[in-house]
Amino acid sequence: MIDLTDARDNLENVNDRSRGSTNLMDSLDDLPPGIGTYEDFHTIDWLRDISRDRLRRRILQKKRSNSCLDKLKRAHDAWSGWLCVVCVGISAGIFAGLIDIGASWMTDLKEGICFEAFWLNKEQCCWGANYTTFDSEKGCLQWHQWPELFGAGGDKGTQYTIRYVMYVMWAMLFATLAAMFVRVFAPYACGSGIPEIKTILSGFIIRGYLGKWTLIIKSVCMMLAVSAGLSLGKEGPLVHVACCCGNIFSYLFPKYSKNEAKKREVLSAASAAGVSVAFGAPIGGVLFSLEEVSYYFPLKTLWRSFFCALTAAFILRSINPFGNDHLVMFYVDYNNPWHIVELIPFILIGAFGGIFGAIFIKFNIMWCRFRKNSKLGQYPITEVLIVTLITAVVAFPNPYTRMNTSELIKLLFSQCGPEDDMNLCDYYNRTYTDASSNVQIASIQDGVKTALWQLSLAVLFKLVITIFTFGIKVPAGLFIPSMAVGAMLGRIIGIAMEQIVLQLQNTPLDICTARQQCITPGLYAMVGAAAALGGVTRMTVSLVVIMFELTGGLQYIVPLMAATMTSKWVGDAFGKEGIYDAHIHLNGYPFLDSKSEFQHSTIAHDVMRPRRSEPPLSVITQDSMTVDDIETLLKETDHNGFPIVVSMESQYLVGFVLRRDLSLAIEEEVENLKGNAINNVEGIVSASPVYFSSNVPVTTSVRGGPSPLKLRKIIDLAPVTVTDQTPMETVVEMFRKLGLRQTLVTHNGRLLGIITKKDVLRHVAQLENQDPDSILFN
């Protein structure tokens, strides 16, 4: 006979589950502040946060027809996202403009000063006034070089020594200030920031990493570090700066400040704005955010990222920090056609870029690991000063390592013209009939030969010193140093190709007509820059778009694509990780890469905890524990959450509760906490029973016993579960695609164990013969 009473009770329990899955969200305003939030160095629950946002929007939708105020709230909620990204774009553009201007001024300060207006750099000093005068030997008379100020006279040896000493002294001063500011005020302001941004966007919480002090100190120290002449760039850290702006502005909008998953949509848009202002490449910035850093990137985030990057680029263009009326940094003014035969050297350059990237990643990670595990890591300021001193002393004699790296790349990308008298343009018997026409191909002279060996030495020096520089405790980007190495190597190969083609004139292999310059060395430098950066970062689509936005050379997209893909293939042959992923693993960040594949045959039972040799899983029963039992459980364990079961005997799963939410709900020391169960509910004592179910018996209160504590509203009644025979390939995909913190393992409906993100990362590391204990995870 069928028991209808039991069937009705089961149906009510099912209905309670369906209603209770959003109980936390329904009553969030009635709960203590902090419930539903996360502690430092913890991962977020993407599913819960996204569900909370859906419910919030449904509530607004229902209230929309009630009054004009509700309609206004709905409208504000709709456009607040666009307003937030506009604010982020404006602030990112302003910060980028100020950083560019400040870095340019301090870099020129190592050479001299403008007496008439000390706040002007050399270019502004010489071209900013109508009374500027020039001398055939000294150049701009308004700009006073240090030898002149020290009264060196006409002795070239003394002048060179004074310039050398002042260059080193200013570099040491700038580096000292940068290292001290980072050490004292904002330790998170060091490095590139992109590995940490990737980790944060994947759902990890790092409090203070995107705070206001980090924003200020990183902006100031970025100018100091670049001006010191270190082999680093400010483009990578600009992504960190823009994300700091995004984090700060997100607190002005409740739907982002109270929801970590929604906040990451703003941070994704901010990272696009960072690349947009770094390179003047708004489209490339959006693709960079999508390809390289973002973990969750819905379509609306794509639109807002594009709008944010566009706003930032417009603000930067209005500030015009480069003074050339171009948004792009390295604008090329030539459009010489390239020949299909040149794909061979372009692919060769791509292979060199992949080899360079593999060498750099290997030795940089080795050095950073040595720094991390030795006493060197205890003296960050000393390390910065030693690297700066070596860089300044070695770099000054070579003009290609002495000059600002961005200026070097601009020089290498350019085409020799009639006004150029530098060594790089010293060709034999080259004539110019028209400044706008193609120049004639010609043989090199001693000036080019000198430039070639100086560039060769500069490539070796940049490679070695960048290995030791990337990772020191100052803001340090990698985009510009990598591009500089590739550009120098590309220019060398371009000049060699130019001379080969010259020797093949009037032969069946001749590809030139009318002695015009059919080989453009600047194009080879451009391709080399893309190849080197691709070899280090393993970017592809976004890198090609950034390069043609960076230079304005859209007609050269095929050579850039060929070199970039070759660079990635060659680099992947030596190791699959780019430099940012390698640093993520070095630092032990809990990042589960969505681009890698899990190709092992393990199952959930092999990974779940507890293991056979471990104590049983700590669980909470739905109606048979007291406040004292739960407080004891919290004191004796450090788990981040607890499964809730019907009873210890049955082990049938009811739900899951987070440790933080449970502690806030029963903490009796917290006073004036809204919704605090012990302080605000009369009769609650240590012996009070705790109920996580909807049916609470009344017999206890009637007989004069302690009042029960009802905590059903803080539990998740729909936790993600898998069976013990589920393949780990499926489990890993669930963690990647759903952004899970944990999943519960059952067998025939009974709870067996739990798999956390930390367990998955350790399992993957162990299968790849890595140290599973290197994962930094709370």
Side-chain angles (χ1 to χ4, degrees):
M1 182 177 179
I2 299 176
D3 190 345
L4 295 180
T5 303
D6 292 342
R8 183 177 64 251
D9 292 340
N10 291 336
L11 181 60
E12 289 178 355
N13 289 336
V14 171
N15 291 334
D16 287 340
R17 278 176 170 270
S18 63
R19 293 191 302 266
S21 63
T22 57
N23 263 350
L24 174 60
M25 300 74 163
D26 289 337
S27 57
L28 199 61
D29 293 336
D30 300 328
L31 292 174
I35 287 186
T37 59
Y38 306 96
E39 295 180 353
D40 197 10
F41 288 99
H42 283 67
T43 55
I44 69 173
D45 191 334
W46 287 89
L47 287 179
R48 183 172 72 161
D49 284 359
I50 293 173
S51 298
R52 290 172 60 192
D53 183 66
R54 289 199 193 103
L55 181 69
R56 179 190 59 80
R57 286 189 279 112
R58 284 200 298 266
I59 294 174
L60 286 175
Q61 188 72 23
K62 292 178 180 178
K63 293 181 178 179
R64 185 177 60 175
S65 58
N66 293 347
S67 65
C68 294
L69 181 60
D70 290 332
K71 292 181 180 179
L72 186 61
K73 288 182 179 179
R74 172 65 179 174
H76 170 73
D77 183 76
W79 59 260
S80 60
W82 295 99
L83 178 60
C84 184
V85 296
V86 167
C87 295
V88 173
I90 293 174
S91 58
I94 292 174
F95 271 98
L98 294 177
I99 290 170
D100 287 334
I101 294 172
S104 175
W105 175 70
M106 285 191 285
T107 300
D108 288 345
L109 202 59
K110 294 188 295 184
E111 299 180 6
I113 192 171
C114 184
F115 270 177
E116 286 73 11
F118 70 91
W119 58 86
L120 298 179
N121 61 23
K122 183 177 181 180
E123 183 180 6
Q124 294 168 338
C125 180
C126 293
W127 296 100
N130 295 326
Y131 54 83
T132 302
T133 55
F134 289 89
D135 184 84
S136 58
E137 296 182 358
K138 299 181 179 179
C140 171
L141 297 181
Q142 276 68 35
W143 179 259
H144 300 275
Q145 297 185 357
W146 294 117
E148 177 186 350
L149 296 176
F150 282 97
D155 187 0
K156 293 185 178 180
T158 304
Q159 292 180 0
Y160 182 84
T161 303
I162 293 177
R163 285 198 299 268
Y164 203 153
V165 172
M166 293 302 297
Y167 182 91
V168 175
M169 288 180 59
W170 278 112
M172 295 297 292
L173 175 62
F174 291 151
T176 303
L177 292 176
M180 292 183 63
F181 285 164
V182 169
R183 177 78 171 178
V184 175
F185 296 106
Y188 281 151
C190 66
S192 168
I194 293 181
E196 288 76 13
I197 295 298
K198 289 187 66 171
T199 307
I200 290 173
L201 287 177
S202 71
F204 197 56
I205 303 290
I206 307 180
R207 302 290 182 195
Y209 197 82
L210 302 177
K212 57 181 181 301
W213 274 109
T214 304
L215 170 63
I216 296 172
I217 297 302
K218 186 127 191 175
S219 301
V220 173
C221 294
M222 202 187 309
M223 296 184 280
L224 292 169
V226 172
S227 304
L230 290 168
S231 183
L232 47 81
K234 59 182 182 297
E235 285 67 27
L238 277 174
V239 177
H240 188 186
V241 168
C243 286
C244 289
C245 296
N247 179 67
I248 293 171
F249 277 105
S250 68
Y251 284 102
L252 301 179
F253 303 91
K255 77 173 183 178
Y256 295 118
S257 62
K258 296 181 180 180
N259 193 308
E260 292 291 343
K262 291 291 292 180
K263 183 185 293 183
R264 273 144 185 78
E265 295 180 11
V266 177
L267 297 182
S268 294
S271 63
V275 175
S276 174
V277 296
F279 295 109
I283 301 176
V286 176
L287 293 176
F288 173 83
S289 179
L290 174 62
E291 178 184 2
E292 187 65 20
V293 297
S294 292
Y295 200 84
Y296 174 67
F297 205 83
L299 187 59
K300 61 181 178 182
T301 302
L302 176 67
W303 300 335
R304 289 175 180 171
S305 298
F306 179 75
F307 190 57
C308 185
L310 176 65
T311 304
F314 174 76
I315 295 298
L316 184 65
R317 173 64 181 81
S318 302
I319 297 175
N320 192 22
F322 306 119
N324 57 5
D325 291 330
H326 288 296
L327 178 62
V328 297
M329 187 184 302
F330 309 122
Y331 181 76
V332 295
D333 53 0
Y334 51 82
N335 55 2
N336 304 333
W338 59 277
H339 298 266
I340 192 68
V341 179
E342 293 182 271
L343 280 178
I344 297 175
F346 291 152
I347 291 174
L348 180 64
I349 292 175
F352 284 146
I355 295 173
F356 161 73
I359 293 174
F360 176 82
I361 293 172
K362 178 179 177 61
F363 286 100
N364 179 255
I365 294 299
M366 288 176 56
W367 176 251
C368 291
R369 185 176 289 113
F370 171 77
R371 178 195 297 121
K372 184 178 180 180
N373 299 326
S374 66
K375 291 185 178 180
L376 180 63
Q378 303 175 8
Y379 306 97
I381 298 180
T382 303
E383 182 188 10
V384 171
L385 295 182
I386 292 175
V387 172
T388 305
L389 180 62
I390 295 174
T391 303
V393 171
V394 178
F396 185 85
N398 191 333
Y400 297 112
T401 54
R402 182 197 317 164
M403 67 171 56
N404 180 269
T405 311
S406 297
E407 293 295 328
L408 171 63
I409 297 174
K410 184 178 179 180
L411 173 67
L412 296 171
F413 283 8
S414 63
Q415 178 178 245
C416 291
E419 74 284 357
D420 296 319
D421 57 353
M422 54 186 175
N423 286 341
L424 207 57
C425 296
D426 185 17
Y427 287 85
Y428 177 76
N429 199 24
R430 172 175 282 181
T431 58
Y432 300 91
T433 58
D434 185 358
S436 61
S437 63
N438 291 335
V439 296
Q440 292 182 346
I441 190 170
S443 59
I444 60 175
Q445 294 199 93
D446 292 339
V448 177
K449 295 177 182 178
T450 301
L452 287 176
W453 71 259
Q454 288 177 336
L455 286 174
S456 301
L457 293 177
V459 168
L460 296 176
F461 172 70
K462 282 285 187 181
L463 171 60
V464 174
I465 201 63
T466 308
I467 290 174
F468 294 97
T469 303
F470 188 71
I472 61 177
K473 298 305 179 181
V474 294
L478 193 59
F479 285 175
I480 290 297
S482 301
M483 291 175 63
V485 172
M488 288 187 288
L489 183 62
R491 186 79 182 205
I492 293 172
I493 295 177
I495 294 174
M497 279 295 300
E498 186 181 42
Q499 297 307 301
I500 292 174
V501 170
L502 177 64
Q503 298 300 321
L504 294 177
Q505 278 190 338
N506 302 322
T507 67
L509 299 178
D510 188 7
I511 62 174
C512 288
T513 58
R515 289 185 56 83
Q516 288 185 347
Q517 184 183 15
C518 56
I519 301 295
T520 307
L523 171 59
Y524 285 75
M526 191 190 311
V527 172
L533 185 55
V536 171
T537 63
R538 307 297 162 81
M539 295 190 301
T540 53
V541 180
S542 58
L543 175 58
V544 172
V545 176
I546 287 173
M547 285 304 299
F548 78 69
E549 284 190 284
L550 185 67
T551 60
L554 182 59
Q555 66 272 27
Y556 302 127
I557 190 170
V558 173
L560 291 173
M561 292 174 65
T564 301
M565 285 307 304
T566 305
S567 173
K568 177 173 174 57
W569 288 333
V570 173
D572 286 345
F574 293 95
K576 297 293 185 182
E577 290 183 336
I579 185 64
Y580 300 129
D581 292 331
H583 273 268
I584 286 174
H585 292 154
L586 175 67
N587 294 326
Y589 296 138
F591 180 76
L592 196 58
D593 192 359
S594 59
K595 294 188 286 290
S596 60
E597 296 182 2
F598 186 86
Q599 299 177 342
H600 304 279
S601 58
T602 53
I603 60 175
H605 188 274
D606 301 328
V607 183
M608 74 174 191
R609 291 181 180 272
R611 307 285 175 81
R612 292 182 178 180
S613 60
E614 296 176 347
L617 184 64
S618 299
V619 298
I620 298 174
T621 57
Q622 67 174 354
D623 55 9
S624 61
M625 297 184 71
T626 64
V627 172
D628 186 59
D629 294 334
I630 293 181
E631 289 180 339
T632 302
L633 181 65
L634 292 174
K635 291 178 182 178
E636 293 179 351
T637 63
D638 58 355
H639 306 306
N640 292 326
F642 304 94
I644 299 174
V645 296
V646 174
S647 65
M648 292 294 185
E649 293 77 17
S650 69
Q651 290 290 310
Y652 282 118
L653 184 64
V654 174
F656 191 84
V657 63
L658 293 178
R659 179 190 188 91
R660 177 181 176 85
D661 296 348
L662 189 59
S663 300
L664 289 172
I666 67 172
E667 186 63 52
E668 60 182 355
E669 286 81 10
V670 179
E671 298 180 357
N672 300 322
L673 185 62
K674 182 181 178 182
N676 184 292
I678 295 180
N679 290 335
N680 294 348
V681 180
E682 185 177 356
I684 299 290
V685 294
S686 297
S688 296
V690 180
Y691 291 97
F692 295 93
S693 60
S694 57
N695 298 324
V696 179
V698 296
T699 55
T700 305
S701 300
V702 172
R703 295 176 182 176
S707 300
L709 178 61
K710 306 172 186 178
L711 296 180
R712 185 173 185 274
K713 291 184 176 182
I714 70 170
I715 70 174
D716 178 11
L717 292 174
V720 177
T721 60
V722 296
T723 67
D724 57 337
Q725 297 300 312
T726 304
M728 275 305 297
E729 181 180 4
T730 303
V731 176
V732 171
E733 285 301 306
M734 291 173 63
F735 273 88
R736 286 173 179 164
K737 302 295 175 58
L738 299 178
L740 301 180
R741 287 183 57 153
Q742 70 280 317
T743 182
L744 302 176
V745 183
T746 62
H747 178 74
N748 293 335
R750 298 175 184 269
L751 180 67
L752 281 186
I754 186 173
I755 299 177
T756 64
K757 190 175 183 179
K758 181 179 181 179
D759 296 327
V760 174
L761 289 165
R762 283 181 168 177
H763 182 64
V764 172
Q766 190 172 10
L767 292 176
E768 295 178 354
N769 298 321
Q770 299 175 0
D771 181 14
D773 295 326
S774 64
I775 306 299
L776 171 65
F777 198 95
N778 247 338

